[in-house]
Amino acid sequence: MDDDIPYLLLTPGPLTTTRSVREAMGIDYSTWDVDYNNVVQEVRSALVGLATDQDGYTATLMQGSGTFSVESTIGSVVPADGKLLVISNGAYGARIVKTARMLGIDLIDLDHGEQSPPDLDRIRQTLEADAAITDVAMVHCETTTGMLNPVAEVGAVVKEFGKRYIVDAMSSFGGMPMSIEGLHADFIISSSNKCIQGVPGFGFIITSREMMESLEGRARSHSLDLYDQWQMMEAAGGKWRFTSPTHVLMAFRQALRELEQEGGVEVRYQRYSENHARLITGMEKLGFGTLLPLEWHSPVITSFYYPADPAFDFDEFHRRLKERRFVIYPGKVSDAECFRIGTIGNVFPQDIDLLITEIGNVASEMGIEQLGRA
Ligand SMILES: *Cc1c(COP(=O)(O)O)cnc(C)c1O
């Protein structure tokens, strides 16, 4: 851990970034500056390069947090007379459902509960039974629990039925190897403050140029019109339609360079996987139980059951860990008492080892003897 930061964020984002990423925000750019627009173009093509080595793809940046990019995509892709199938198993899947409902989109919520992986037979049956479905959306890594959904397998089924496929890869893109064609995805959505390790402020959508061309005039919102935003970026060489997060973009360009310096997505994935492996081993040794079976797990974030011991109090536990420079995260599952620990960002295996030691210290300070679940 760098000495100049108050604590390490072990959260689903924003994440701990490097000092050099934060320092890249030291210049105030004009959105009319050609140098700035060139950075936008550089970032867009680097993003395409992370998603595919094939021609014909394009990346569009959208102001706001990741949710704004999801809303932009859903609202700009599903046609007025279309129908969206959402395959959900957590809060982020539920967020897609809520977004689509508020946009007045006809939909089916194929809810699996928060602790089950998507069921391919159910998905196939749903697509067979309802020819009105035009689009399918699913989350890659369900950050609610840490579950890694089988995006490629689901994508193969979606493509058998010839539907468009929208993947929320917010918390996995840049941190786990993937390709847009390997996932059978038409859209990959992620944001600046997840595994690419930038700071929060915009999201991005990767799709084919052909697909993007087909979206003209379909959006349900002016500020979130994906086609319009893309058009402007293409036509004006990296200009956003409205005020863009200039500092965030500069930090993101630096973050992309650092991803490359680290050795690319595969090497970063190895680091996250090692963080995760050490977390699991250490927590299990202390007695904590994980919410999900390990075979369903991503290396991104992990949910642990609250200890059964009445001496455990999450707020107090969180506060004491923060004093020791580790910030963990509350749980998000509705039917189990959990907290979460993220293993992404500028976080290394030795940080995780230190965290485990401090969790042990905090537990004994608080007099928690039984760390296992109720
Ligand atoms: C972080 C995240 C989002 C976006 O959340 P914001 O709070 O808008 O940044 C969407 N989906 C998933 C799976 C996420 O992890």
Side-chain angles (χ1 to χ4, degrees), residues 95-170:
R95 193 178 290 180
I96 298 177
V97 170
K98 180 161 190 188
T99 301
R101 283 224 170 97
M102 291 193 71
L103 291 171
I105 291 172
D106 192 13
L107 68 90
I108 299 176
D109 177 11
L110 204 60
D111 186 1
H112 289 69
E114 292 163 332
Q115 295 177 50
S116 311
D119 177 340
L120 288 173
D121 290 335
R122 248 181 101 195
I123 295 166
R124 183 186 297 280
Q125 282 156 17
T126 309
L127 286 164
E128 254 160 19
D130 195 342
I133 295 166
T134 49
D135 297 83
V136 180
M138 193 171 78
V139 172
H140 186 203
C141 169
E142 232 322 333
T143 323
T144 313
T145 53
M147 190 178 311
L148 191 63
N149 282 329
V151 210
E153 289 82 345
V154 170
V157 176
V158 171
K159 287 299 146 185
E160 262 177 54
F161 290 85
K163 313 300 182 188
R164 273 179 301 258
Y165 188 32
I166 299 166
V167 175
D168 170 351
M170 204 72 65

Side-chain angles (χ1 to χ4, degrees), residues 225-300:
D225 186 334
L226 179 58
Y227 174 83
D228 228 37
Q229 179 88 335
W230 175 70
Q231 257 299 303
M232 175 65 93
M233 285 191 174
E234 287 291 297
K239 262 185 69 56
W240 307 46
R241 287 174 307 160
F242 313 123
T243 298
S244 67
T246 49
H247 303 80
V248 177
L249 196 274
M250 297 313 290
F252 192 71
R253 193 259 299 259
Q254 178 62 23
L256 281 166
R257 288 180 172 174
E258 291 178 16
L259 173 59
E260 198 178 308
Q261 282 157 14
E262 184 172 350
V265 174
E266 183 63 46
V267 175
R268 180 158 294 179
Y269 173 62
Q270 298 302 334
R271 172 163 63 86
Y272 289 170
S273 299
E274 182 60 23
N275 288 347
H276 179 250
R278 293 209 195 182
L279 177 71
I280 298 294
T281 312
M283 290 295 273
E284 284 185 342
K285 224 179 212 165
L286 289 171
F288 284 95
T290 58
L291 175 75
L292 295 183
L294 284 182
E295 67 264 27
W296 295 348
H297 241 291
S298 67
V300 169

Side-chain angles (χ1 to χ4, degrees), residues 12-14 64-70 92-93 95-96 139-144 168-172 189 191 193-194 200 300:
S65 80
T67 303
F68 292 65
S69 284
V70 174
Y92 293 95
R95 193 178 290 180
I96 298 177
V139 172
H140 186 203
C141 169
E142 232 322 333
T143 323
T144 313
D168 170 351
M170 204 72 65
S171 61
S172 50
I189 310 164
S191 77
N193 64 278
K194 303 260 176 159
V300 169

